[in-house]
Amino acid sequence: TRSFTDPSVSMDLLRAVLQPSINEEIRGVFNKYMKFFQTAAINVRDNVGEEVDPEQLIQETCRSCLEQAKLLFSDGKRVVPRLPHEQAVPKRARQMDEELSRRGSPVPKKRKGRPPGQSLSNDRGVSGMAAWKLKVSEPVKRDGPKWDPSRLTETTTFVLGSRANKALGMGGTRGRLYIKHPHLFKYAADPQDKHWLTEQQHMRAIGGKMAYLLIEEDIRDLAASEDYRDSVDLHLEELKPFIPPAWMTEKMQKHMETLRRGGDVPPPEDPPE
């Protein structure tokens, strides 16, 4: 049994008291740089394909930042493992980086472009919309009437995620809709679903790329919100809604129920060509 006079116990009690405030300040730091992570993640998705989840990329990057920040408090004995691509950094550069980290000094780098605090309100696809910052580690709420599987019936209309992005003025950045509105229900079509969608000419054959389906009502609700209703980039005629077959709707009901209960459904895998 450890007494409260134990130095480590005393310090941990103090840490526990201060931790909420520390977390809030850390969140503020990440929000300051989140626009850069967001833009980079969307670019990755545009270059690689819709199978890339920008939200997951951002979360992984934030966790990596926290891991590397531990070097600021390294005692010289415990070393934080570096990522594979960082192993290729020249030895001298690594030594300088680690030395600066031990001193608590940031690596001085001057880069052209927008400073961290500058707004992205003039970027493509966001004219007329309010500035947005992702809340780090903020859980996505999946409750309420919009997450009730019973709302999905045989007459519920759906739209493709790519068309929803175009309709809301984000056609050039397909992943932005999912990052900006993580509370939206989206369903990743499996190979069987894609075959039906292609046969019905709702989409072109896209190979192994991901295709998301969203509820038309949710997108129209977004379009009527303050963030979008006055946007000159709003083009609801791009939605092209459709009613899926009953067997697909049933799969989406099960998917919604799983997500609502806090489960995680892995993305579908296409068979090899």
Side-chain angles (χ1 to χ4, degrees):
T1 303
R2 302 175 70 182
S3 69
F4 287 104
T5 57
D6 187 316
S8 61
V9 173
S10 299
M11 293 302 294
D12 196 56
L13 287 172
L14 175 61
R15 178 208 56 77
V17 172
L18 298 177
Q19 193 69 52
S21 297
I22 294 173
N23 289 348
E24 193 62 32
E25 292 192 31
I26 291 175
R27 178 173 295 172
V29 171
F30 275 97
N31 282 339
K32 180 180 178 181
Y33 294 97
M34 192 56 62
K35 56 176 68 71
F36 298 108
F37 294 155
Q38 178 194 10
T39 301
I42 290 173
N43 286 339
V44 170
R45 179 167 194 146
D46 288 344
N47 293 330
V48 177
E50 290 198 1
E51 67 272 15
V52 175
D53 187 346
E55 184 179 351
Q56 181 180 353
L57 282 180
I58 291 173
Q59 295 293 329
E60 290 175 351
T61 302
C62 290
R63 286 194 291 268
S64 179
C65 287
L66 291 173
E67 286 296 320
Q68 292 303 313
K70 290 180 181 179
L71 286 172
L72 295 171
F73 306 99
S74 173
D75 58 6
K77 300 177 182 178
R78 292 169 296 189
V79 180
V80 179
R82 289 179 173 268
L83 297 176
H85 70 272
E86 294 179 298
Q87 301 292 348
V89 178
K91 182 178 180 181
R92 178 58 183 162
R94 289 202 306 269
Q95 290 175 343
M96 290 179 63
D97 188 12
E98 291 171 359
E99 179 65 23
L100 287 168
S101 295
R102 284 194 294 271
R103 294 178 183 176
S105 305
V107 179
K109 292 182 181 178
K110 292 184 179 180
R111 296 181 180 179
K112 295 182 180 180
R114 291 184 293 261
Q118 185 169 337
S119 171
L120 291 182
S121 58
N122 293 325
D123 276 7
R124 58 176 182 167
V126 292
S127 58
M129 301 179 193
W132 168 79
K133 292 181 179 179
L134 180 66
K135 299 298 183 180
V136 181
S137 301
E138 184 173 301
V140 178
K141 294 182 179 179
R142 291 167 174 163
D143 52 17
K146 285 188 177 295
W147 281 87
D148 183 356
S150 65
R151 71 181 292 225
L152 306 185
T153 68
E154 294 184 2
T155 60
T156 302
T157 51
F158 290 82
V159 297
L160 289 172
S162 55
R163 290 195 174 276
N165 272 275
K166 290 180 181 179
L168 295 176
M170 296 181 278
T173 50
R174 290 170 296 175
R176 181 169 293 182
L177 174 63
Y178 313 130
I179 299 176
K180 187 173 181 181
H181 303 289
H183 64 281
L184 282 178
F185 169 73
K186 67 178 187 291
Y187 168 77
D190 63 21
Q192 182 188 24
D193 305 326
K194 291 180 185 177
H195 179 72
W196 182 88
L197 291 166
T198 304
E199 274 193 338
Q200 300 300 314
Q201 299 183 346
H202 294 304
M203 60 179 277
R204 295 176 298 174
I206 57 175
K209 292 184 178 180
M210 297 289 287
Y212 287 109
L213 302 185
L214 298 95
I215 303 171
E216 181 193 9
E217 180 186 9
D218 290 350
I219 303 304
R220 291 194 178 274
D221 286 346
L222 272 181
S225 68
E226 184 178 353
D227 286 350
Y228 294 92
R229 63 188 175 207
D230 295 325
S231 172
V232 296
D233 297 317
L234 198 63
H235 299 288
L236 294 182
E237 69 277 4
E238 292 283 350
L239 286 178
K240 311 293 184 185
F242 58 88
I243 298 177
W247 52 264
M248 191 186 301
T249 301
E250 184 178 347
K251 284 196 289 186
M252 287 190 277
Q253 287 176 331
K254 293 179 180 178
H255 181 78
M256 179 181 282
E257 179 63 29
T258 299
L259 292 176
R260 188 178 68 159
R261 292 179 178 276
D264 187 16
V265 178
E269 297 182 357
D270 280 333
E273 298 181 353

